[in-house]
């Protein structure tokens, strides 16, 4: 008894264990709620990397535009009359020049941000995450989130990134130690040029490293997402019941439909002209009305128990029954209820009906 009880508990435990991959329906429902595998580090790292790449590619263009802007201010606009319209025109001109200088970086950053998100989740626009949820401001729930495994992993991930970035900065600056010590005797232009090149080199290195780490983070987020979507065998069965209907209920409905169909068929048996039997396994009820039918029609048929019921009802209503094994089998196999007899069976059926009509003293 105890062993059986333990076995039942084990079976229940395995049935409830979430070991199965999520079904397409569950994935679709999760996506509708905004639950997708996404790493916020991917677009952030790509933006950082390509921002420095933009500075490297368009640095000379930006420098020329900045020099031109300051030269124009110092040469032409410092001596102008300070009026409301002049100041407004000056700031408008400076703002347009600033936008032109930053336009390449803005455009590339926006494009990379869109690509970084689209590559992870595709096109998705939903409003459910924007709906305020009061459980998010619940202190108890917030306390649990602070000490959850996800929070610990995020802390370790951030610490690891800081260590990597610190190591890259340290090795880069140590490699440039000689030039750094000589900056005190270098011209100002050379100092700015050196600082700019070191900053640009650091930015590209750090951006590239963060992109690699972001890819690993995306793989981890994908793993956690798949893990959170896992289903137990019972979950899959419940989902199937909800989507397709409970098999037991569907079975009862089909049984009810069969019963109703059988009842309607049995009501047609008294209208038959003849019942052709096997004699025990098959029974086929034929009706022929020359005014409304082009050929004799099967109005009921059955095998075994159904055949017995058809013959029983036919006997109760005085419908003639004839034994013809080949014909009964052929009609049962080839003709459905409500269909006319096919041409190849006309001769055999006509002979049967002729005999029936002769016995009844009827001509058709």
């Amino acid at each position: 008894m105890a062993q059986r009880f333990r076995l039942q508990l084990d079976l229940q435990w395995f049935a409830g264990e979430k070991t199965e991959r999520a079904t397409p329906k569950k994935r679709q429902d999760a996506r509708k709620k905004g639950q997708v595998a996404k790493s916020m580090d991917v677009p952030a790292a790509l933006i950082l990397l390509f921002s420095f790449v933009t500075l490297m590619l368009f640095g000379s263009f930006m420098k020329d535009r900045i020099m031109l802007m300051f030269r124009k201010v110092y040469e032409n606009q410092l001596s102008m009359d300070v009026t409301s319209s002049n100041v407004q025109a000056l700031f408008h001109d400076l703002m347009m020049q600033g936008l032109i200088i930053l336009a390449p970086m803005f455009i590339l950053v926006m494009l990379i941000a869109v690509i970084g998100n689209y590559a992870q989740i595709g096109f998705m626009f939903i409003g459910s995450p924007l709906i305020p949820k009061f459980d998010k401001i619940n202190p108890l729930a917030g306390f649990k989130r602070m000490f959850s495994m996800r929070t610990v992993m995020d802390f370790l991930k951030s610490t690891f990134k800081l260590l990597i970035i610190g190591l890259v900065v340290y090795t880069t600056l140590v490699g440039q130690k000689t030039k750094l010590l000589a900056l005190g005797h270098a011209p100002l232009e050379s100092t700015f040029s050196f600082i700019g090149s070191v900053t640009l080199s650091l930015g590209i290195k750090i951006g590239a490293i963060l992109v690699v780490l972001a890819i690993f983070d995306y793989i981890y987020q994908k793993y956690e997402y798949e893990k959170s979507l896992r289903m137990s065998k019972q979950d899959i069965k419940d989902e199937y019941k909800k989507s397709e209907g409970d098999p037991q209920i569907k079975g009862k409905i089909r049984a009810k439909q069969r019963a109703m169909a059988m009842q309607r068929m049995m009501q047609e048996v008294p209208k038959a002209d003849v019942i052709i039997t096997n004699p025990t396994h098959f029974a086929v009820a034929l009706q022929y009305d020359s005014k409304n039918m082009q050929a004799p029609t099967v109005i009921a048929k059955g095998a075994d128990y159904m055949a017995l019921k058809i013959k029983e009802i036919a006997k109760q209503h005085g419908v003639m029954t004839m034994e013809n094994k080949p014909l009964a089998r052929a009609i049962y196999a080839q003709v459905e209820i409500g269909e006319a007899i096919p041409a190849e069976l006309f001769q055999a059926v006509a002979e049967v009906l002729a005999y029936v009509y002769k016995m009844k003293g009827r001509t058709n």
Side-chain angles (χ1 to χ4, degrees):
M1 186 69 181
Q3 186 177 3
R4 184 188 300 177
F5 180 72
R6 284 196 300 271
L7 179 60
Q8 290 177 351
L9 288 179
D10 291 340
L11 291 173
Q12 291 175 0
W13 186 83
F14 281 113
E17 188 179 5
K18 297 183 182 297
T19 57
E20 307 301 315
R21 290 176 59 85
T23 60
K25 182 179 183 303
K26 180 154 187 185
R27 294 179 184 277
Q28 185 178 6
D29 293 341
R31 186 176 178 84
K32 289 179 180 179
K33 297 176 183 178
Q35 299 173 1
V36 291
K38 178 182 177 182
S39 172
M40 298 300 295
D41 292 348
V42 172
L46 289 174
I47 289 172
L48 178 64
L49 175 62
F50 281 92
S51 295
F52 282 98
V53 170
T54 305
L55 287 174
M56 183 177 67
L57 295 176
F58 297 96
S60 59
F61 164 77
M62 294 179 176
K63 184 188 74 172
D64 293 340
R65 297 296 302 190
I66 292 173
M67 296 297 293
L68 178 63
M69 182 177 64
F70 278 99
R71 184 180 298 114
K72 184 178 180 181
V73 170
Y74 287 131
E75 291 179 355
N76 303 324
Q77 295 171 333
L78 285 180
S79 59
M80 71 178 184
D81 295 333
V82 180
T83 63
S84 176
S85 59
N86 288 345
V87 172
Q88 185 176 0
L90 173 61
F91 277 100
H92 180 268
D93 183 60
L94 293 175
M95 184 177 67
M96 294 304 297
Q97 292 295 329
L99 289 176
I100 292 172
I101 293 170
L102 297 175
M105 182 177 291
F106 282 162
I107 293 173
L108 187 59
V109 164
M110 290 180 62
L111 185 62
I112 291 301
V114 172
I115 293 174
N117 284 285
Y118 182 81
Q120 295 184 83
I121 62 175
F123 179 77
M124 184 176 70
F125 180 78
I126 54 176
S128 57
L130 301 177
I131 300 175
K133 297 180 180 179
F134 294 102
D135 59 341
K136 290 187 176 181
I137 60 176
N138 184 353
L140 184 59
F143 183 78
K144 290 181 179 179
R145 285 194 296 268
M146 286 177 59
F147 295 95
S148 64
M149 183 57 67
R150 177 178 289 273
T151 305
V152 173
M153 290 301 299
D154 289 341
F155 173 75
L156 294 176
K157 181 177 64 177
S158 300
T159 304
F160 181 71
K161 285 194 293 185
L162 286 175
L163 290 174
I164 294 293
I165 293 171
L167 181 62
V168 171
V169 172
Y170 174 77
T171 54
T172 301
L173 295 181
V174 167
Q176 300 291 337
K177 181 175 64 173
T178 304
K179 294 182 179 180
L180 283 171
L181 294 175
L183 287 180
H185 305 285
L188 187 61
E189 184 178 354
S190 299
T191 301
F192 279 125
S193 177
F194 174 75
I195 293 174
S197 64
V198 172
T199 303
L200 191 62
S201 174
L202 277 174
I204 293 176
K205 288 180 181 178
I206 293 172
I209 291 172
L210 290 179
V211 168
V212 174
L213 294 177
I215 293 174
F216 282 105
D217 181 64
Y218 173 72
I219 295 173
Y220 172 74
Q221 297 295 338
K222 185 77 174 176
Y223 167 76
E224 286 292 325
Y225 175 72
E226 293 293 335
K227 185 178 178 181
S228 67
L229 287 183
R230 284 179 188 171
M231 305 171 69
S232 65
K233 289 181 171 59
Q234 186 61 42
D235 292 336
I236 296 176
K237 290 180 181 179
D238 293 341
E239 181 184 287
Y240 176 79
K241 288 180 180 179
K242 290 180 181 178
S243 59
E244 301 294 332
D246 191 332
Q248 294 183 353
I249 296 177
K250 291 176 69 176
K252 291 180 180 179
I253 293 174
R254 285 194 294 266
K256 186 70 174 178
Q257 291 173 341
R258 286 194 297 268
M260 293 175 64
M262 185 179 70
Q263 185 178 2
R264 287 194 299 269
M265 184 181 70
M266 292 304 178
Q267 291 175 352
E268 296 294 318
V269 172
K271 303 177 184 178
D273 293 314
V274 64
I275 307 297
I276 302 176
T277 66
N278 189 27
T280 56
H281 295 295
F282 300 103
V284 180
L286 298 180
Q287 182 185 25
Y288 179 56
D289 184 351
S290 58
K291 296 180 181 179
N292 300 317
M293 299 178 183
Q294 295 181 352
T297 301
V298 175
I299 60 174
K301 71 175 185 175
D304 299 328
Y305 174 75
M306 291 288 294
L308 292 175
K309 291 292 293 183
I310 291 172
K311 289 189 290 183
E312 181 181 338
I313 294 175
K315 184 177 180 180
Q316 293 175 357
H317 292 81
V319 179
M320 184 174 292
T321 299
M322 290 191 62
E323 179 181 334
N324 190 324
K325 296 180 181 180
L327 185 59
R329 286 179 176 272
I331 296 175
Y332 183 86
Q334 299 179 31
V335 189
E336 297 297 328
I337 297 172
E339 293 183 357
I341 296 297
E344 60 267 22
L345 299 178
F346 276 177
Q347 182 64 34
V349 172
E351 292 176 0
V352 170
L353 289 176
Y355 176 78
V356 171
Y357 296 154
K358 180 179 178 182
M359 294 297 294
K360 292 182 177 180
R362 169 186 166 189
T363 58
N364 254 27

